[in-house]
Amino acid sequence: MIKKENNKLYESVHNYTKFKLVEMLIDKYKDKNIDNLNQIEQLADDVLTVLAIAGLKHYNELKGEFKWE
């Protein structure tokens, strides 16, 4: 039950982070020549992938340091 709730939480954090990334990129590059919003969304996906990789690396290194339940 806790694992299912954690998955929902992780998905919610992922979706909100992606939304905020896309929002920031649109605001930052609204005056630039961008072909379409799909490019911005793809960039946001790429950033999320890097964040996930970095997060997993540090999680694996630090999981013994903290009590994660």
Side-chain angles (χ1 to χ4, degrees):
M1 184 79 153
I2 292 174
K3 189 172 184 174
K4 193 174 203 179
E5 291 172 3
N6 285 345
N7 286 341
K8 285 184 181 182
L9 176 62
Y10 297 146
E11 185 177 344
S12 176
V13 169
H14 170 84
N15 289 339
Y16 181 75
T17 304
K18 183 175 178 179
F19 169 77
K20 294 306 285 183
L21 277 169
V22 169
E23 182 180 62
M24 181 268 308
L25 291 167
I26 288 171
D27 286 344
K28 186 172 183 172
Y29 295 105
K30 64 185 172 192
D31 297 330
K32 308 284 189 240
N33 184 17
I34 295 177
D35 294 340
N36 58 45
L37 293 178
N38 289 336
Q39 290 176 322
I40 289 178
E41 190 170 357
Q42 181 59 53
L43 178 58
D45 282 335
D46 293 344
V47 170
L48 286 171
T49 298
V50 170
L51 290 173
I53 291 167
L56 286 172
K57 175 188 181 296
H58 291 290
Y59 171 78
N60 284 328
E61 290 176 1
L62 298 173
K63 67 182 174 185
E65 304 277 329
F66 302 97
K67 302 281 189 233
W68 299 99
E69 295 291 335

Short mmCIF file of all heavy atoms in Angstrom, two decimals:
data_model
loop_
_atom_site.label_atom_id
_atom_site.label_comp_id
_atom_site.label_asym_id
_atom_site.label_seq_id
_atom_site.Cartn_x
_atom_site.Cartn_y
_atom_site.Cartn_z
N MET A 1 0.82 -1.20 0.00
CA MET A 1 0.00 0.00 0.00
C MET A 1 0.86 1.26 0.00
O MET A 1 0.60 2.18 -0.74
CB MET A 1 -0.93 -0.04 1.22
CG MET A 1 -1.89 1.11 1.26
SD MET A 1 -3.24 0.81 0.15
CE MET A 1 -4.50 1.72 0.90
N ILE A 2 1.92 1.26 0.82
CA ILE A 2 2.79 2.43 0.89
C ILE A 2 3.51 2.62 -0.44
O ILE A 2 3.66 3.74 -0.92
CB ILE A 2 3.80 2.30 2.06
CG1 ILE A 2 3.06 2.40 3.39
CG2 ILE A 2 4.86 3.38 1.98
CD1 ILE A 2 3.92 2.15 4.59
N LYS A 3 3.94 1.52 -1.06
CA LYS A 3 4.65 1.62 -2.34
C LYS A 3 3.76 2.24 -3.41
O LYS A 3 4.21 3.07 -4.19
CB LYS A 3 5.13 0.24 -2.78
CG LYS A 3 6.05 0.27 -3.96
CD LYS A 3 6.65 -1.08 -4.23
CE LYS A 3 7.65 -0.98 -5.36
NZ LYS A 3 8.36 -2.21 -5.59
N LYS A 4 2.49 1.86 -3.43
CA LYS A 4 1.55 2.42 -4.41
C LYS A 4 1.36 3.92 -4.17
O LYS A 4 1.33 4.71 -5.12
CB LYS A 4 0.21 1.69 -4.30
CG LYS A 4 -0.74 1.95 -5.43
CD LYS A 4 -1.96 1.08 -5.30
CE LYS A 4 -2.63 0.91 -6.64
NZ LYS A 4 -3.81 0.05 -6.55
N GLU A 5 1.28 4.32 -2.91
CA GLU A 5 1.14 5.74 -2.57
C GLU A 5 2.41 6.49 -2.95
O GLU A 5 2.33 7.62 -3.45
CB GLU A 5 0.85 5.90 -1.08
CG GLU A 5 -0.52 5.42 -0.68
CD GLU A 5 -0.73 5.41 0.82
OE1 GLU A 5 0.17 5.84 1.57
OE2 GLU A 5 -1.81 4.98 1.25
N ASN A 6 3.58 5.88 -2.72
CA ASN A 6 4.84 6.52 -3.11
C ASN A 6 4.90 6.71 -4.61
O ASN A 6 5.36 7.75 -5.09
CB ASN A 6 6.04 5.69 -2.64
CG ASN A 6 6.28 5.84 -1.16
OD1 ASN A 6 5.76 6.73 -0.51
ND2 ASN A 6 7.08 4.94 -0.62
N ASN A 7 4.47 5.70 -5.38
CA ASN A 7 4.47 5.82 -6.84
C ASN A 7 3.60 6.97 -7.30
O ASN A 7 3.97 7.70 -8.22
CB ASN A 7 4.04 4.51 -7.50
CG ASN A 7 5.10 3.44 -7.43
OD1 ASN A 7 6.28 3.74 -7.21
ND2 ASN A 7 4.70 2.20 -7.61
N LYS A 8 2.43 7.14 -6.67
CA LYS A 8 1.55 8.26 -7.01
C LYS A 8 2.23 9.59 -6.68
O LYS A 8 2.13 10.54 -7.45
CB LYS A 8 0.22 8.14 -6.27
CG LYS A 8 -0.70 7.09 -6.84
CD LYS A 8 -2.03 7.09 -6.13
CE LYS A 8 -2.94 6.01 -6.69
NZ LYS A 8 -4.26 6.05 -6.04
N LEU A 9 2.90 9.62 -5.54
CA LEU A 9 3.60 10.84 -5.15
C LEU A 9 4.72 11.15 -6.14
O LEU A 9 4.86 12.28 -6.59
CB LEU A 9 4.18 10.70 -3.73
CG LEU A 9 5.03 11.87 -3.25
CD1 LEU A 9 4.20 13.14 -3.18
CD2 LEU A 9 5.65 11.55 -1.91
N TYR A 10 5.53 10.15 -6.49
CA TYR A 10 6.62 10.36 -7.44
C TYR A 10 6.09 10.83 -8.79
O TYR A 10 6.66 11.72 -9.42
CB TYR A 10 7.44 9.08 -7.64
CG TYR A 10 8.13 8.60 -6.39
CD1 TYR A 10 8.30 7.25 -6.15
CD2 TYR A 10 8.62 9.49 -5.44
CE1 TYR A 10 8.93 6.80 -5.00
CE2 TYR A 10 9.25 9.04 -4.29
CZ TYR A 10 9.41 7.69 -4.08
OH TYR A 10 10.03 7.25 -2.96
N GLU A 11 4.99 10.23 -9.24
CA GLU A 11 4.39 10.64 -10.51
C GLU A 11 3.89 12.08 -10.44
O GLU A 11 4.07 12.86 -11.37
CB GLU A 11 3.25 9.70 -10.89
CG GLU A 11 2.67 9.99 -12.25
CD GLU A 11 1.58 9.01 -12.67
OE1 GLU A 11 1.47 7.93 -12.06
OE2 GLU A 11 0.87 9.33 -13.62
N SER A 12 3.29 12.43 -9.33
CA SER A 12 2.80 13.79 -9.14
C SER A 12 3.95 14.79 -9.14
O SER A 12 3.87 15.85 -9.78
CB SER A 12 2.02 13.88 -7.82
OG SER A 12 1.61 15.20 -7.57
N VAL A 13 5.03 14.47 -8.44
CA VAL A 13 6.21 15.35 -8.41
C VAL A 13 6.80 15.47 -9.82
O VAL A 13 7.13 16.57 -10.26
CB VAL A 13 7.26 14.83 -7.41
CG1 VAL A 13 8.58 15.57 -7.57
CG2 VAL A 13 6.74 14.96 -5.99
N HIS A 14 6.90 14.35 -10.54
CA HIS A 14 7.41 14.35 -11.91
C HIS A 14 6.56 15.26 -12.80
O HIS A 14 7.09 16.11 -13.53
CB HIS A 14 7.44 12.93 -12.47
CG HIS A 14 7.74 12.86 -13.93
ND1 HIS A 14 9.02 12.87 -14.43
CD2 HIS A 14 6.92 12.80 -15.00
CE1 HIS A 14 8.98 12.82 -15.74
NE2 HIS A 14 7.72 12.78 -16.11
N ASN A 15 5.25 15.07 -12.75
CA ASN A 15 4.36 15.86 -13.61
C ASN A 15 4.43 17.35 -13.29
O ASN A 15 4.46 18.18 -14.19
CB ASN A 15 2.93 15.36 -13.49
CG ASN A 15 2.73 14.01 -14.13
OD1 ASN A 15 3.50 13.59 -14.99
ND2 ASN A 15 1.70 13.30 -13.71
N TYR A 16 4.47 17.69 -11.99
CA TYR A 16 4.54 19.10 -11.61
C TYR A 16 5.88 19.70 -12.03
O TYR A 16 5.92 20.82 -12.55
CB TYR A 16 4.34 19.27 -10.11
CG TYR A 16 4.38 20.71 -9.68
CD1 TYR A 16 3.30 21.55 -9.95
CD2 TYR A 16 5.49 21.24 -9.05
CE1 TYR A 16 3.33 22.88 -9.59
CE2 TYR A 16 5.53 22.56 -8.67
CZ TYR A 16 4.45 23.38 -8.94
OH TYR A 16 4.49 24.71 -8.59
N THR A 17 6.96 18.95 -11.83
CA THR A 17 8.29 19.44 -12.23
C THR A 17 8.34 19.67 -13.73
O THR A 17 8.84 20.70 -14.19
CB THR A 17 9.38 18.44 -11.80
OG1 THR A 17 9.29 18.22 -10.39
CG2 THR A 17 10.76 18.95 -12.14
N LYS A 18 7.80 18.73 -14.50
CA LYS A 18 7.78 18.89 -15.95
C LYS A 18 6.95 20.12 -16.34
O LYS A 18 7.37 20.91 -17.19
CB LYS A 18 7.22 17.64 -16.63
CG LYS A 18 7.24 17.73 -18.14
CD LYS A 18 6.80 16.44 -18.79
CE LYS A 18 6.78 16.57 -20.29
NZ LYS A 18 6.37 15.32 -20.93
N PHE A 19 5.80 20.29 -15.72
CA PHE A 19 4.95 21.45 -16.00
C PHE A 19 5.71 22.75 -15.74
O PHE A 19 5.70 23.67 -16.56
CB PHE A 19 3.68 21.40 -15.14
CG PHE A 19 2.89 22.66 -15.17
CD1 PHE A 19 2.10 22.99 -16.25
CD2 PHE A 19 2.94 23.55 -14.10
CE1 PHE A 19 1.37 24.16 -16.28
CE2 PHE A 19 2.22 24.73 -14.12
CZ PHE A 19 1.43 25.04 -15.21
N LYS A 20 6.39 22.83 -14.59
CA LYS A 20 7.12 24.05 -14.24
C LYS A 20 8.30 24.28 -15.19
O LYS A 20 8.60 25.42 -15.55
CB LYS A 20 7.60 24.01 -12.79
CG LYS A 20 6.46 24.02 -11.77
CD LYS A 20 5.49 25.17 -11.96
CE LYS A 20 6.04 26.49 -11.50
NZ LYS A 20 5.07 27.60 -11.63
N LEU A 21 8.97 23.21 -15.62
CA LEU A 21 10.05 23.34 -16.59
C LEU A 21 9.53 23.89 -17.92
O LEU A 21 10.11 24.81 -18.49
CB LEU A 21 10.72 21.99 -16.84
CG LEU A 21 11.78 21.56 -15.85
CD1 LEU A 21 12.14 20.09 -16.09
CD2 LEU A 21 13.02 22.42 -15.97
N VAL A 22 8.44 23.30 -18.40
CA VAL A 22 7.86 23.76 -19.67
C VAL A 22 7.42 25.21 -19.55
O VAL A 22 7.69 26.03 -20.43
CB VAL A 22 6.70 22.84 -20.10
CG1 VAL A 22 5.92 23.45 -21.27
CG2 VAL A 22 7.21 21.46 -20.47
N GLU A 23 6.78 25.55 -18.45
CA GLU A 23 6.33 26.92 -18.22
C GLU A 23 7.52 27.90 -18.23
O GLU A 23 7.48 28.94 -18.89
CB GLU A 23 5.60 27.00 -16.89
CG GLU A 23 5.05 28.36 -16.54
CD GLU A 23 4.34 28.34 -15.21
OE1 GLU A 23 4.99 28.05 -14.18
OE2 GLU A 23 3.13 28.63 -15.21
N MET A 24 8.59 27.54 -17.53
CA MET A 24 9.78 28.39 -17.47
C MET A 24 10.42 28.54 -18.86
O MET A 24 10.80 29.64 -19.27
CB MET A 24 10.79 27.81 -16.48
CG MET A 24 12.07 28.61 -16.31
SD MET A 24 13.48 28.18 -17.38
CE MET A 24 13.67 26.45 -17.15
N LEU A 25 10.52 27.43 -19.58
CA LEU A 25 11.13 27.48 -20.91
C LEU A 25 10.31 28.32 -21.89
O LEU A 25 10.87 29.07 -22.69
CB LEU A 25 11.35 26.07 -21.45
CG LEU A 25 12.42 25.26 -20.72
CD1 LEU A 25 12.33 23.79 -21.12
CD2 LEU A 25 13.80 25.82 -20.98
N ILE A 26 9.00 28.20 -21.82
CA ILE A 26 8.14 29.02 -22.68
C ILE A 26 8.34 30.49 -22.37
O ILE A 26 8.51 31.32 -23.27
CB ILE A 26 6.66 28.61 -22.53
CG1 ILE A 26 6.43 27.24 -23.18
CG2 ILE A 26 5.74 29.66 -23.14
CD1 ILE A 26 5.06 26.64 -22.89
N ASP A 27 8.33 30.84 -21.07
CA ASP A 27 8.53 32.24 -20.69
C ASP A 27 9.90 32.75 -21.12
O ASP A 27 10.03 33.87 -21.61
CB ASP A 27 8.37 32.41 -19.18
CG ASP A 27 6.93 32.32 -18.72
OD1 ASP A 27 6.01 32.42 -19.57
OD2 ASP A 27 6.71 32.13 -17.51
N LYS A 28 10.91 31.93 -20.93
CA LYS A 28 12.28 32.35 -21.24
C LYS A 28 12.52 32.52 -22.74
O LYS A 28 13.23 33.42 -23.17
CB LYS A 28 13.27 31.34 -20.67
CG LYS A 28 14.71 31.77 -20.82
CD LYS A 28 15.64 30.85 -20.08
CE LYS A 28 17.06 31.36 -20.19
NZ LYS A 28 17.98 30.62 -19.35
N TYR A 29 11.92 31.66 -23.54
CA TYR A 29 12.19 31.65 -24.97
C TYR A 29 11.02 32.13 -25.83
O TYR A 29 11.01 31.91 -27.03
CB TYR A 29 12.63 30.25 -25.42
CG TYR A 29 13.96 29.87 -24.79
CD1 TYR A 29 14.01 28.96 -23.75
CD2 TYR A 29 15.14 30.44 -25.24
CE1 TYR A 29 15.22 28.62 -23.16
CE2 TYR A 29 16.35 30.11 -24.66
CZ TYR A 29 16.39 29.20 -23.63
OH TYR A 29 17.59 28.88 -23.05
N LYS A 30 10.06 32.82 -25.24
CA LYS A 30 8.88 33.23 -26.00
C LYS A 30 9.22 34.22 -27.11
O LYS A 30 8.51 34.30 -28.10
CB LYS A 30 7.80 33.79 -25.09
CG LYS A 30 8.17 35.03 -24.34
CD LYS A 30 7.07 35.43 -23.38
CE LYS A 30 7.55 36.56 -22.49
NZ LYS A 30 6.63 36.77 -21.39
N ASP A 31 10.31 34.96 -26.97
CA ASP A 31 10.70 35.92 -28.01
C ASP A 31 11.69 35.32 -29.01
O ASP A 31 12.08 35.99 -29.95
CB ASP A 31 11.33 37.16 -27.36
CG ASP A 31 10.34 37.90 -26.49
OD1 ASP A 31 9.12 37.85 -26.78
OD2 ASP A 31 10.77 38.52 -25.50
N LYS A 32 12.08 34.07 -28.80
CA LYS A 32 13.03 33.40 -29.70
C LYS A 32 12.27 32.63 -30.78
O LYS A 32 11.07 32.42 -30.69
CB LYS A 32 13.91 32.42 -28.92
CG LYS A 32 14.59 33.02 -27.72
CD LYS A 32 15.77 33.87 -28.10
CE LYS A 32 16.55 34.27 -26.88
NZ LYS A 32 16.66 35.66 -26.63
N ASN A 33 12.99 32.20 -31.77
CA ASN A 33 12.37 31.45 -32.86
C ASN A 33 12.35 29.96 -32.51
O ASN A 33 13.32 29.25 -32.73
CB ASN A 33 13.16 31.69 -34.16
CG ASN A 33 12.51 31.01 -35.35
OD1 ASN A 33 11.33 30.64 -35.30
ND2 ASN A 33 13.25 30.84 -36.41
N ILE A 34 11.25 29.51 -31.97
CA ILE A 34 11.08 28.10 -31.63
C ILE A 34 9.99 27.56 -32.54
O ILE A 34 8.91 28.13 -32.64
CB ILE A 34 10.69 27.93 -30.15
CG1 ILE A 34 11.86 28.40 -29.27
CG2 ILE A 34 10.33 26.49 -29.85
CD1 ILE A 34 11.58 28.35 -27.81
N ASP A 35 10.30 26.44 -33.21
CA ASP A 35 9.38 25.89 -34.20
C ASP A 35 8.05 25.48 -33.59
O ASP A 35 7.00 25.73 -34.16
CB ASP A 35 10.01 24.69 -34.91
CG ASP A 35 11.20 25.08 -35.76
OD1 ASP A 35 11.32 26.27 -36.11
OD2 ASP A 35 12.01 24.20 -36.06
N ASN A 36 8.09 24.81 -32.44
CA ASN A 36 6.84 24.39 -31.82
C ASN A 36 7.04 24.04 -30.35
O ASN A 36 8.16 23.95 -29.86
CB ASN A 36 6.23 23.21 -32.58
CG ASN A 36 7.18 22.03 -32.65
OD1 ASN A 36 7.79 21.67 -31.65
ND2 ASN A 36 7.28 21.41 -33.81
N LEU A 37 5.94 23.87 -29.67
CA LEU A 37 6.00 23.55 -28.25
C LEU A 37 6.53 22.15 -27.99
O LEU A 37 7.00 21.86 -26.89
CB LEU A 37 4.62 23.72 -27.61
CG LEU A 37 4.10 25.15 -27.56
CD1 LEU A 37 2.70 25.17 -26.95
CD2 LEU A 37 5.03 26.05 -26.78
N ASN A 38 6.48 21.28 -28.98
CA ASN A 38 7.02 19.93 -28.80
C ASN A 38 8.52 19.96 -28.50
O ASN A 38 9.02 19.13 -27.76
CB ASN A 38 6.76 19.07 -30.04
CG ASN A 38 5.29 18.71 -30.16
OD1 ASN A 38 4.55 18.69 -29.19
ND2 ASN A 38 4.86 18.45 -31.38
N GLN A 39 9.23 20.92 -29.09
CA GLN A 39 10.66 21.06 -28.80
C GLN A 39 10.88 21.42 -27.34
O GLN A 39 11.79 20.90 -26.70
CB GLN A 39 11.29 22.13 -29.69
CG GLN A 39 11.39 21.74 -31.15
CD GLN A 39 11.94 22.86 -31.99
OE1 GLN A 39 11.62 24.03 -31.78
NE2 GLN A 39 12.76 22.51 -32.96
N ILE A 40 10.07 22.31 -26.80
CA ILE A 40 10.18 22.70 -25.40
C ILE A 40 9.85 21.52 -24.51
O ILE A 40 10.54 21.26 -23.52
CB ILE A 40 9.27 23.91 -25.09
CG1 ILE A 40 9.87 25.15 -25.75
CG2 ILE A 40 9.11 24.11 -23.60
CD1 ILE A 40 9.05 26.40 -25.58
N GLU A 41 8.81 20.78 -24.84
CA GLU A 41 8.44 19.61 -24.04
C GLU A 41 9.53 18.54 -24.09
O GLU A 41 9.84 17.91 -23.09
CB GLU A 41 7.10 19.04 -24.50
CG GLU A 41 6.57 17.99 -23.56
CD GLU A 41 5.15 17.58 -23.85
OE1 GLU A 41 4.51 18.14 -24.76
OE2 GLU A 41 4.67 16.68 -23.16
N GLN A 42 10.14 18.35 -25.25
CA GLN A 42 11.23 17.38 -25.36
C GLN A 42 12.42 17.81 -24.51
O GLN A 42 13.05 16.98 -23.85
CB GLN A 42 11.66 17.20 -26.83
CG GLN A 42 12.77 16.18 -27.01
CD GLN A 42 12.38 14.79 -26.51
OE1 GLN A 42 11.34 14.26 -26.90
NE2 GLN A 42 13.19 14.21 -25.64
N LEU A 43 12.73 19.10 -24.52
CA LEU A 43 13.81 19.60 -23.68
C LEU A 43 13.50 19.36 -22.20
O LEU A 43 14.36 18.93 -21.44
CB LEU A 43 14.06 21.09 -23.95
CG LEU A 43 15.13 21.76 -23.10
CD1 LEU A 43 16.48 21.06 -23.25
CD2 LEU A 43 15.24 23.23 -23.46
N ALA A 44 12.25 19.60 -21.81
CA ALA A 44 11.85 19.34 -20.43
C ALA A 44 12.01 17.86 -20.09
O ALA A 44 12.49 17.51 -19.00
CB ALA A 44 10.40 19.79 -20.20
N ASP A 45 11.65 16.97 -21.01
CA ASP A 45 11.84 15.52 -20.79
C ASP A 45 13.32 15.19 -20.62
O ASP A 45 13.69 14.39 -19.76
CB ASP A 45 11.26 14.71 -21.94
CG ASP A 45 9.75 14.57 -21.87
OD1 ASP A 45 9.19 14.68 -20.77
OD2 ASP A 45 9.14 14.35 -22.94
N ASP A 46 14.17 15.82 -21.44
CA ASP A 46 15.61 15.58 -21.33
C ASP A 46 16.15 16.03 -19.97
O ASP A 46 16.96 15.34 -19.35
CB ASP A 46 16.35 16.29 -22.46
CG ASP A 46 16.04 15.71 -23.83
OD1 ASP A 46 15.50 14.59 -23.91
OD2 ASP A 46 16.34 16.39 -24.84
N VAL A 47 15.70 17.20 -19.53
CA VAL A 47 16.12 17.71 -18.22
C VAL A 47 15.65 16.77 -17.11
O VAL A 47 16.41 16.44 -16.19
CB VAL A 47 15.59 19.14 -17.99
CG1 VAL A 47 15.81 19.59 -16.55
CG2 VAL A 47 16.25 20.12 -18.95
N LEU A 48 14.42 16.29 -17.20
CA LEU A 48 13.90 15.36 -16.19
C LEU A 48 14.70 14.06 -16.17
O LEU A 48 14.94 13.49 -15.09
CB LEU A 48 12.42 15.07 -16.43
CG LEU A 48 11.47 16.21 -16.08
CD1 LEU A 48 10.06 15.89 -16.58
CD2 LEU A 48 11.46 16.47 -14.59
N THR A 49 15.13 13.60 -17.32
CA THR A 49 15.94 12.39 -17.38
C THR A 49 17.26 12.60 -16.64
O THR A 49 17.68 11.75 -15.84
CB THR A 49 16.20 11.98 -18.84
OG1 THR A 49 14.95 11.70 -19.47
CG2 THR A 49 17.10 10.77 -18.93
N VAL A 50 17.89 13.73 -16.88
CA VAL A 50 19.15 14.03 -16.20
C VAL A 50 18.92 14.13 -14.69
O VAL A 50 19.70 13.60 -13.89
CB VAL A 50 19.78 15.33 -16.75
CG1 VAL A 50 20.95 15.79 -15.89
CG2 VAL A 50 20.22 15.13 -18.19
N LEU A 51 17.85 14.80 -14.28
CA LEU A 51 17.55 14.92 -12.85
C LEU A 51 17.28 13.55 -12.23
O LEU A 51 17.71 13.28 -11.10
CB LEU A 51 16.33 15.83 -12.64
CG LEU A 51 16.55 17.32 -12.92
CD1 LEU A 51 15.22 18.06 -12.84
CD2 LEU A 51 17.57 17.91 -11.97
N ALA A 52 16.60 12.69 -12.94
CA ALA A 52 16.31 11.34 -12.42
C ALA A 52 17.59 10.54 -12.26
O ALA A 52 17.79 9.87 -11.24
CB ALA A 52 15.34 10.61 -13.36
N ILE A 53 18.47 10.62 -13.24
CA ILE A 53 19.75 9.89 -13.16
C ILE A 53 20.57 10.40 -11.98
O ILE A 53 21.09 9.62 -11.19
CB ILE A 53 20.52 10.01 -14.48
CG1 ILE A 53 19.81 9.23 -15.58
CG2 ILE A 53 21.96 9.54 -14.33
CD1 ILE A 53 20.31 9.52 -16.98
N ALA A 54 20.65 11.72 -11.84
CA ALA A 54 21.41 12.29 -10.73
C ALA A 54 20.76 11.93 -9.40
O ALA A 54 21.46 11.59 -8.43
CB ALA A 54 21.49 13.81 -10.88
N GLY A 55 19.45 11.98 -9.34
CA GLY A 55 18.74 11.64 -8.11
C GLY A 55 18.96 10.19 -7.71
O GLY A 55 19.20 9.88 -6.54
N LEU A 56 18.90 9.28 -8.68
CA LEU A 56 19.12 7.87 -8.39
C LEU A 56 20.55 7.61 -7.93
O LEU A 56 20.78 6.81 -7.03
CB LEU A 56 18.80 7.02 -9.62
CG LEU A 56 17.32 6.86 -9.94
CD1 LEU A 56 17.15 6.17 -11.29
CD2 LEU A 56 16.61 6.09 -8.86
N LYS A 57 21.50 8.30 -8.55
CA LYS A 57 22.90 8.13 -8.15
C LYS A 57 23.07 8.52 -6.68
O LYS A 57 23.64 7.77 -5.89
CB LYS A 57 23.80 8.98 -9.02
CG LYS A 57 25.26 8.95 -8.60
CD LYS A 57 26.06 9.97 -9.38
CE LYS A 57 27.53 9.98 -9.03
NZ LYS A 57 27.83 10.36 -7.67
N HIS A 58 22.55 9.67 -6.32
CA HIS A 58 22.70 10.13 -4.94
C HIS A 58 21.85 9.32 -3.98
O HIS A 58 22.26 9.10 -2.84
CB HIS A 58 22.42 11.62 -4.85
CG HIS A 58 23.47 12.44 -5.53
ND1 HIS A 58 24.75 12.57 -5.05
CD2 HIS A 58 23.44 13.15 -6.67
CE1 HIS A 58 25.45 13.32 -5.85
NE2 HIS A 58 24.69 13.68 -6.85
N TYR A 59 20.69 8.88 -4.42
CA TYR A 59 19.86 8.03 -3.57
C TYR A 59 20.61 6.76 -3.22
O TYR A 59 20.66 6.34 -2.07
CB TYR A 59 18.54 7.70 -4.26
CG TYR A 59 17.75 6.65 -3.53
CD1 TYR A 59 17.01 6.98 -2.40
CD2 TYR A 59 17.75 5.32 -3.94
CE1 TYR A 59 16.30 6.02 -1.70
CE2 TYR A 59 17.04 4.36 -3.26
CZ TYR A 59 16.31 4.71 -2.14
OH TYR A 59 15.62 3.75 -1.46
N ASN A 60 21.21 6.12 -4.22
CA ASN A 60 21.94 4.89 -3.97
C ASN A 60 23.13 5.11 -3.05
O ASN A 60 23.46 4.26 -2.24
CB ASN A 60 22.41 4.26 -5.29
CG ASN A 60 21.27 3.57 -6.01
OD1 ASN A 60 20.36 3.04 -5.39
ND2 ASN A 60 21.32 3.57 -7.32
N GLU A 61 23.78 6.25 -3.18
CA GLU A 61 24.93 6.55 -2.33
C GLU A 61 24.51 6.88 -0.90
O GLU A 61 25.24 6.58 0.04
CB GLU A 61 25.73 7.71 -2.91
CG GLU A 61 26.46 7.37 -4.19
CD GLU A 61 27.18 8.57 -4.78
OE1 GLU A 61 27.12 9.68 -4.21
OE2 GLU A 61 27.79 8.39 -5.85
N LEU A 62 23.35 7.50 -0.74
CA LEU A 62 22.96 8.01 0.57
C LEU A 62 21.86 7.22 1.26
O LEU A 62 21.50 7.55 2.40
CB LEU A 62 22.50 9.47 0.43
CG LEU A 62 23.54 10.45 -0.07
CD1 LEU A 62 22.91 11.81 -0.33
CD2 LEU A 62 24.68 10.59 0.93
N LYS A 63 21.33 6.19 0.64
CA LYS A 63 20.16 5.52 1.22
C LYS A 63 20.43 4.95 2.59
O LYS A 63 19.52 4.84 3.40
CB LYS A 63 19.60 4.45 0.27
CG LYS A 63 20.47 3.27 0.03
CD LYS A 63 19.81 2.34 -0.96
CE LYS A 63 20.72 1.20 -1.33
NZ LYS A 63 20.14 0.36 -2.36
N GLY A 64 21.66 4.60 2.90
CA GLY A 64 21.98 4.13 4.23
C GLY A 64 22.08 5.24 5.27
O GLY A 64 22.02 5.00 6.47
N GLU A 65 22.20 6.48 4.81
CA GLU A 65 22.36 7.62 5.71
C GLU A 65 21.04 8.08 6.33
O GLU A 65 21.02 8.68 7.37
CB GLU A 65 22.96 8.81 4.94
CG GLU A 65 24.28 8.52 4.26
CD GLU A 65 25.46 8.64 5.20
OE1 GLU A 65 25.39 9.47 6.12
OE2 GLU A 65 26.43 7.89 5.02
N PHE A 66 19.94 7.81 5.64
CA PHE A 66 18.63 8.30 6.07
C PHE A 66 17.66 7.16 6.22
O PHE A 66 17.81 6.11 5.61
CB PHE A 66 18.06 9.31 5.05
CG PHE A 66 18.96 10.49 4.82
CD1 PHE A 66 19.82 10.52 3.73
CD2 PHE A 66 18.96 11.55 5.69
CE1 PHE A 66 20.65 11.62 3.50
CE2 PHE A 66 19.79 12.65 5.48
CZ PHE A 66 20.63 12.66 4.38
N LYS A 67 16.64 7.37 7.00
CA LYS A 67 15.58 6.38 7.18
C LYS A 67 14.46 6.71 6.20
O LYS A 67 13.70 7.65 6.39
CB LYS A 67 15.04 6.39 8.60
CG LYS A 67 16.09 6.14 9.64
CD LYS A 67 16.39 4.69 9.73
CE LYS A 67 17.29 4.42 10.92
NZ LYS A 67 18.47 3.71 10.66
N TRP A 68 14.37 5.99 5.08
CA TRP A 68 13.32 6.20 4.07
C TRP A 68 12.27 5.12 4.25
O TRP A 68 12.52 3.97 4.03
CB TRP A 68 13.89 6.10 2.66
CG TRP A 68 14.94 7.12 2.37
CD1 TRP A 68 16.28 6.91 2.41
CD2 TRP A 68 14.77 8.48 2.01
NE1 TRP A 68 16.93 8.06 2.08
CE2 TRP A 68 16.04 9.03 1.82
CE3 TRP A 68 13.65 9.29 1.82
CZ2 TRP A 68 16.23 10.35 1.46
CZ3 TRP A 68 13.86 10.59 1.44
CH2 TRP A 68 15.13 11.11 1.28
N GLU A 69 11.14 5.48 4.63
CA GLU A 69 10.03 4.52 4.79
C GLU A 69 8.82 5.05 4.09
O GLU A 69 8.50 6.13 4.03
CB GLU A 69 9.71 4.28 6.26
CG GLU A 69 10.81 3.62 7.00
CD GLU A 69 11.08 2.16 6.60
OE1 GLU A 69 10.14 1.50 6.11
OE2 GLU A 69 12.19 1.73 6.76
#
